[in-house]
Every structure is written in structure tokens, then in C-alpha cells.
Amino acid sequence: MTSATVDAPSQSRIAIASFIGTAIEFYDFYIYGTAAALVFGTLFFPSFSATAGTLAALATFAVGFIARPLGAILFGHFGDRLGRKRMLITSLLVMGISTVLIGCVPSFAAIGVAAPILLAVLRFLQGIGLGGEWGGAVLLATEYAPAGKRGLYSAYPQLGPAIGFALGNFLYLVLSASMSPESFTSWGWRIPFWASAVLLVVGFYIRMRIAETPVFRAAVAQAHQQARVPFLELLRRQPVVLILATLSFILAFTMFYTITTFCLTYATTQLHVDKTTMLTEAIVASLLMGAATLWFAAVSDRVGRRKLCITAAVLSGVWAFPLFWLIQTRQPILIGIAMTVGLVCFALLYGPMGAYFPELFRVRYRYSGSSFAYSAAGIIGGGISPLIATDVLARTHATTGVSWYLIGIAVLCLICLLFMAETRTADFTE
């Protein structure tokens, strides 16, 4: 079997089913990151200084990323053994329910130290669920894709960041405009978490109606194509590929969360840019990022994954200083340009990676390999990078160190990509 075909209605369901989960993933993670940057320091760490409170709140943000590799191993194991569909439904439920419950956690003033503990526990569970989401979603899309269109099909789940980020920003924008800062800090921040329940129900309904991927069904029919312990076999057979894939993807997380989380905090608290302005700019930039992600994913079917990813690494390093120079002007148009170009650099890397990662690993441990590389990269790129950027800014009172940090991550990505193979024409059934 060299390709997979499905009827037209099924293709539509596959597109939506693979997209909805990653949209919820980035919506959930973004609203948490925004709340951590804006209100969690005050609500859950009131005895800390402003900077220390923000760092403590962002540390709970990092907990979710630390949990993700564990979730990747867990969901990857059963995803490679039992199928993609079952794990996608389970990961969605764990992720979505944890998010809704975060919106219900009382403040420190109400229940004391139990508040930040509950916050961290739910964040950890959210990360466990998310650990199996992206890998399963890109496999669902690519293992249904016809020959020569894996990049295009992989764009479905890759649109999740743009939609989830824009939706989260839109809700915070509406809340900021419709309620006082006191009301928002008191209870308004909870609304986006509760609203996640709607996305959860829709996603669950859609995923219950999809069939298992034809590539996995074919693998099940051949007993030798299933590993007893997929993650251990992955470590034995493709350890170098796993390491290179993980390190190469750190840049995507670093760019995305530096721009969407750190820059929001920096612009609103240090530069005193109006929060509404920043949220509006972020919505526009994220929508343009989504269009760019779709375009680059499709282009990778013609020119290859590796070439586009290398270009993304170079451009990300080049943009590290102009990003902050433009934000520091406090001019809305220039801030919009800074964020848009940065997120397009992210899209140039993220778009092709949706097909690149699954193609790197054999079908018998593909869920484990894709999920773990993606999730492990998130620990540094998504969980630690905002902490490092906040700490560097607090120590130096300048963004120069943050720019050099971005350049360092871009160079690391570039080096790894130079040692990775092109996979556009690889046999996807082995």
C-alpha cells in the first residue's frame, strides 16, 4: 500500500477531526499562558514581588510542558499498539476536562496554599493529555493522505495554533473591553477556561465519528509491523533521529511562546502598551500565521520539508533583534509587523514539520516518535523559554540577551537540520 484514499465526506471529517484537537491544544495553552502573565501572579502567589510572582506563575505554565513527554510516551505506546483514534479521543478528554477545571480553582485568598497546588496538578494533567494530541493528530491527517500530498494534509492540524491563539486572544480582548480590570482579575479570566467545554464537546463528537487510519490498519494486518514496547524500540533503532528531531523543533516553540507570551507581558508591563492594542495585533498576526502555515505545508510537497525548515531557522535568527526593536517603538503598526514576521518564521518551520516528523519514523513506533520529539522540544522551547526571557529582562533591563538566546536556538535548529534527511518521497507504510 503506497497511499491512502477515502471518500470525500470522510476527508472532510478527517480534516476537522485532526484540526479541532490542536486548535483546543493551543487555545488551552495560550489562555493559560495569558492568564499566567496577567493575573496568576496576583491570585495564586500574592506574597511574592511582582517579578517573582510572574516567574512563579510562568513556572506553573512550564509544568504542562514537563508533563507532555510523559503523556507522549503513554499515548504513543497505546497509539502504536491500539490505534490512533482511541488515543485521540482519550487525549482530548484529559486535556479538555483539565482546562475547564483550571477555571474553577479558587484563589490563594480563598483556600491558601492549596490553590497553587491545585493549579499545578491540573496543569500537569493538561500536559499529559496534550502529550498525545499533536502526534496523533498529524498521524491521523498524514496516514490518510494520498501520495504526494502529505504536506498539504498535515496542514489541517497545523492550523490549530493560529485558530486557537486567535480565539483565545479574541476572548481576552472582549473581556478586557467589557469589564473592569478588577472584575477581570477577580473572575473574568475564568471565562475562557469554561468556554473550552464547548470546543471539547464538538471535538469529542467529531472524533467519535472517524475511522482508524488505513496505514495503521495495514500495519495491524502485518503482525511484524507492531512493536511490543514502541518507545524502547524507537530508542534502539532511531535514537539519533529522535534527538535531532527534538532539538530542531525547540525553535518553533521558542519563537511562538516568546512572541505570544513573553512579548505580551513585556509590552504591557514594561513598555506600557495598551493591552487591547497588543491583543488586536496578536489576532491579526496569528491569522496571517495560519495562512502562511497552510501555504508552507503545501509547498513542502513540491520542494521538500528540510529546505523550508532550514530557511526558517536562518530567518528566525535574523529577526531576533528587529522583533524587539519594532515592539519598543510602541507604534501599533510596527508592533504588528514585528509579531507577524516572527510568527511567519514560525509557520515556515511549523508547517512542514507536520509531515516531516511522521515521515522520519517507522510506522511501528511513529506515534511514539512524533509525539515525544514534539513534546520534549516543548519543555525548553515553550516551558522554559518564557522563564529565561523574563529572568533575562529582569536582570539586565534590556531585551538584548533575549535576542541572543533566540539566535542561539536558531543556530541549534539549523545544525540539527543539516544532519537530517529529506523525507518527502519516503515510503510511509514501512
Side-chain angles (χ1 to χ4, degrees):
M1 185 178 71
T2 58
S3 65
T5 59
V6 290
D7 57 29
S10 293
Q11 289 182 9
S12 300
R13 288 198 298 270
I14 294 305
I16 298 172
S18 61
F19 155 78
I20 192 72
T22 54
I24 295 173
E25 170 191 353
F26 276 86
Y27 169 82
D28 290 352
F29 259 54
Y30 180 71
I31 62 174
Y32 190 100
T34 303
L38 298 178
V39 301
F40 280 2
T42 301
L43 290 176
F44 296 103
F45 305 95
S47 61
F48 290 16
S49 67
T51 299
T54 299
L55 284 171
L58 289 175
T60 64
F61 180 69
V63 166
F65 285 98
I66 294 171
R68 288 174 76 153
L70 300 178
I73 294 173
L74 176 65
F75 283 99
H77 176 85
F78 291 105
D80 284 321
R81 297 284 301 169
L82 303 179
R84 317 324 190 186
K85 174 183 174 177
R86 295 182 187 180
M87 293 305 103
L88 279 171
I89 292 172
T90 305
S91 67
L92 182 72
L93 290 174
V94 174
M95 174 177 66
I97 292 173
S98 299
T99 300
V100 173
L101 290 178
I102 286 173
C104 301
V105 176
S107 67
F108 185 93
I111 61 172
V113 71
I117 292 175
L118 281 174
L119 187 68
V121 169
L122 290 172
R123 178 64 173 167
F124 183 84
L125 292 174
Q126 188 188 48
I128 290 290
L130 288 170
E133 175 57 41
W134 184 84
V138 295
L139 261 59
L140 181 68
T142 56
E143 289 186 348
Y144 264 101
K149 293 187 177 181
R150 287 196 296 263
L152 174 61
Y153 273 55
S154 75
Y156 300 146
Q158 298 299 75
L159 291 175
I163 302 303
F165 179 54
L167 182 58
N169 263 309
F170 176 74
L171 279 177
Y172 276 118
L173 184 62
V174 170
L175 292 172
S176 298
S178 61
M179 62 176 54
S180 66
E182 293 76 17
S183 296
F184 178 81
T185 301
S186 176
W187 59 272
W189 65 270
R190 300 179 185 274
I191 295 175
F193 290 89
W194 296 336
S196 181
V198 177
L199 298 176
L200 172 62
V201 171
V202 173
F204 179 78
Y205 173 77
I206 293 172
R207 286 187 172 178
M208 284 295 292
R209 292 169 57 84
I210 61 173
E212 185 54 75
T213 71
V215 172
F216 182 79
R217 292 200 303 268
V220 170
Q222 305 174 55
H224 68 277
Q225 285 285 42
Q226 283 196 290
R228 294 189 60 184
V229 185
F231 188 70
L232 292 182
E233 184 170 330
L234 168 66
L235 294 179
R236 287 199 308 269
R237 293 180 179 271
Q238 289 189 284
V240 175
V241 173
L242 181 64
I243 292 171
L244 291 175
T246 301
L247 295 179
S248 70
F249 208 67
I250 291 174
L251 176 62
F253 282 104
T254 301
M255 288 294 292
F256 185 83
Y257 284 103
T258 296
I259 294 171
T260 61
T261 301
F262 172 75
C263 286
L264 173 65
T265 306
Y266 171 64
T268 56
T269 62
Q270 302 293 320
L271 302 179
H272 305 293
V273 177
D274 181 65
K275 184 168 63 176
T276 300
T277 297
M278 288 301 298
L279 291 175
T280 302
E281 299 287 359
I283 291 173
V284 174
S286 66
L287 293 176
L288 292 173
M289 176 192 76
T293 298
L294 179 61
W295 171 258
F296 293 133
V299 169
S300 73
D301 281 327
R302 299 196 300 272
V303 305
R305 329 295 184 203
R306 183 171 174 267
K307 184 183 297 184
L308 292 182
C309 292
I310 288 175
T311 304
V314 173
L315 293 180
S316 296
V318 169
W319 195 245
F321 277 100
L323 169 67
F324 293 106
W325 290 340
L326 292 175
I327 291 176
Q328 287 160 3
T329 65
R330 299 179 174 84
Q331 298 299 313
I333 293 178
L334 297 181
I335 291 174
I337 292 173
M339 298 181 71
T340 299
V341 173
L343 289 178
V344 168
C345 289
F346 159 81
L348 182 56
L349 180 63
Y350 189 72
M353 282 291 190
Y356 203 2
F357 269 29
E359 290 169 347
L360 286 169
F361 301 103
R362 296 186 62 188
V363 66
R364 49 193 293 124
Y365 44 74
R366 182 174 291 152
Y367 202 135
S368 297
S370 299
S371 295
F372 185 82
Y374 178 85
S375 298
I379 294 178
I380 296 177
I384 298 178
S385 289
L387 287 171
I388 291 175
T390 301
D391 185 61
V392 168
L393 180 64
R395 290 175 182 273
T396 64
H397 305 289
T399 58
T400 302
V402 180
S403 294
W404 281 115
Y405 176 72
L406 290 176
I407 291 172
I409 297 296
V411 170
L412 173 64
C413 175
L414 177 61
I415 293 173
C416 291
L417 288 168
L418 293 176
F419 286 94
M420 291 166 63
E422 175 55 60
T423 60
R424 176 170 59 94
T425 59
D427 184 353
F428 205 50
T429 64
E430 293 296 326

